[in-house]
C-alpha cells in the first residue's frame, strides 16, 4: 500500500501547534524532523522516524538552524485528499495570523506502507502526570510506581495519550478537583483520556462528546482496556454549540466539571453557552490554547456573565484557563 506524504516547512518552535492543529483536523499522526534535542518527556509522546531497520537515514539531514519539517500522511484509498489539504491550508493561514510558523509551504510525495502502530512501540513508554501513571498496554508498571492510579493508553486513531502539555494541565486540575462522585463532561473527548482519568480519580460518571466517529471507538476501547464498565460513561457525537440534538443528549445543569481540551476557535463560541450544561458552582477546565490566543479565549469566557475565571496556567507555549459557574 502507498501513502501520500505531505511535508510542511516550518520552524522548530511551531512544531507543537502544527501537530495539535493537524490532530484537530483528524490527521492521525505526524513525524517531526529538526535538530532540537528531545527531553525525556517529549520523547515519550512522539513517533520519531529515525531511519530504516538498519538505522540508515531515510531522508537527507536538515540544515543546523531553526528550520523544521512536520510530515503527515493520507491514505489515497480512504481520505478525500483535496478536501483535507484545503482544510490544512486554511488552518495554516489562520495560524500565520497569530504565530510565526515559517513559510508553511507544503510538498507532496509518495511513500511505502509502514507498520505505524508497531513503530510507535519503540518510542512510547510509561510516564507520570502527578500521581497518575500512564502506560502502554505492552509495558508493566515499574515497581517504583506501584500503588499509584494507572491508565493504559496506546497511540491510536483519536487524539489524546496524555503526553501533550495541554492534556497534562487538565489532568493535574482533575487530580485536585475530583473528590468523589462528580459528573464529568468532556468536550472534544478524543481518546477519552480526560474522562477516564476523572473516573479513575473517583468521578461518578463521564460524558464525552466529539465530532469524529473514531473517538467513539477509541473511547470505548480505552474504557474496556482500563476495566470501566459501560454504565460509567456515555459518548455523544456532535457539536453541542450548534447541534441542539447533541446538546439535549448531553443534558443541562448536570455537570460538576467540564473539560474542554480543544482549539481556541472552538473554545471561543463554546464559552458563550457551556454554562447551560453546568451545575451552579461547577468548574470549567479549558486547554489547547496557544499563548497568542490566551486573551481571546479569556475574554470569551469573561463575556459570559455566568462564568468567572479562577486561574490561568502555562506549560511551554500552551495555556489552560479554569473558570467557575457563578
Amino acid at each position: 500500500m502507498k501513502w501520500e506524504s505531505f511535508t510542511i516547512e516550518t520552524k522548530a518552535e511551531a512544531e507543537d501547534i502544527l501537530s495539535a492543529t493537524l490532530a484537530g483536523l483528524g490527521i492521525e499522526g505526524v513525524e517531526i524532523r529538526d535538530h532540537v534535542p528531545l527531553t525525556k518527556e517529549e520523547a515519550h509522546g512522539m513517533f520519531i522516524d529515525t531511519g530504516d531497520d538498519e538505522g540508515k537515514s531515510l531522508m537527507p539531514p536538515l540544515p543546523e538552524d531553526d528550520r523544521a519539517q512536520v510530515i503527515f500522511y493520507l491514505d489515497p484509498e480512504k481520505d478525500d485528499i483535496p478536501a483535507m489539504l484545503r482544510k490544512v491550508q486554511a488552518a495554516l493561514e489562520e495560524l500565520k495570523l497569530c504565530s510565526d510558523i515559517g513559510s508553511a509551504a507544503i510538498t507532496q510525495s509518495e511513500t511505502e506502507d509502514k507498520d505505524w502502530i508497531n513503530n510507535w512501540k519503540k518510542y512510547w513508554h510509561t510516564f507520570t502526570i502527578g500521581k497518575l501513571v500512564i502506560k502502554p498496554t505492552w509495558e508493566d508498571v515499574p515497581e517504583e510506581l506501584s500503588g499509584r492510579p494507572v491508565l493504559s493508553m496506546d497511540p491510536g486513531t483519536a487524539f489524546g495519550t496524555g503526553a501533550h502539555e495541554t492534556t497534562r494541565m487538565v489532568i493535574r486540575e482533575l487530580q485536585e478537583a475530583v473528590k468523589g462522585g462528580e459528573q464529568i463532561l468532556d468536550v472534544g473527548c478524543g481518546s477519552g483520556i480526560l474522562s477516564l482519568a476523572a473516573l479513575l480519580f473517583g468521578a461518578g460518571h463521564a460524558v464525552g462528546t466529539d465530532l469524529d466517529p473514531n473517538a467513539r471507538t477509541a473511547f470505548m476501547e480505552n474504557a474496556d482496556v482500563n476495566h470501566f464498565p459501560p454504565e460509567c460513561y456515555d459518548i455523544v457525537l456532535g457539536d453541542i454549540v450548534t447541534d441542539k440534538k447533541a446538546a439535549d443528549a448531553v443534558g443541562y445543569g448536570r455537570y460538576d466539571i467540564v473539560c474542554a481540551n480543544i482549539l481556541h476557535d472552538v473554545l471561543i463560541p463554546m464559552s458563550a453557552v457551556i454554562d447551560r450544561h453546568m451545575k451552579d458552582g461547577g468548574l470549567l477546565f479549558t486547554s489547547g490554547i496557544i499563548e497568542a490566543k490566551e486573551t481571546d479565549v479569556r475574554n470569551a469566557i469573561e463575556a459570559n456573565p455566568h462564568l468567572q475565571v479562577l486561574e490561568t496556567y502555562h506549560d511551554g507555549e500552551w495555556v489552560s484557563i479554569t473558570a467557575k459557574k457563578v
Side-chain angles (χ1 to χ4, degrees), residues 243-270:
D243 182 349
K244 186 176 185 302
K245 183 177 179 181
D248 290 346
V250 164
Y252 304 97
R254 290 180 51 186
Y255 298 97
D256 301 285
I257 298 174
V258 176
C259 305
N261 181 20
I262 45 185
L263 297 177
H264 70 273
D265 56 351
V266 182
L267 287 173
I268 289 172
M270 187 204 74

Side-chain angles (χ1 to χ4, degrees), residues 113-160:
D113 190 13
K114 298 184 179 183
D115 188 359
W116 299 109
I117 298 301
N118 287 323
N119 280 339
W120 270 100
K121 292 184 179 181
K122 301 175 186 177
Y123 307 103
W124 182 250
H125 301 291
T126 299
F127 64 102
T128 61
I129 303 173
K131 64 184 178 182
L132 177 65
V133 177
I134 299 179
K135 73 173 195 67
T137 55
W138 58 86
E139 286 192 357
D140 295 326
V141 177
E143 184 176 349
E144 64 270 19
L145 299 178
S146 62
R148 296 195 188 189
V150 177
L151 273 182
S152 293
M153 301 290 296
D154 293 343
T157 58
F159 185 63

Side-chain angles (χ1 to χ4, degrees), residues 6-9 18 21-22 25 27 72 74 80-97 101-108:
F6 300 89
T7 300
I8 304 173
E9 302 294 334
L18 283 181
T21 298
L22 293 173
L25 295 175
I27 293 172
F72 64 95
L74 298 176
D80 186 341
I81 291 179
M84 180 57 75
L85 286 179
R86 286 194 295 271
K87 292 180 181 179
V88 171
Q89 291 280 15
L92 293 177
E93 291 303 314
E94 182 178 357
L95 286 177
K96 286 180 180 179
L97 298 176
I101 62 171
S103 70
I106 300 177
T107 57
Q108 180 177 357

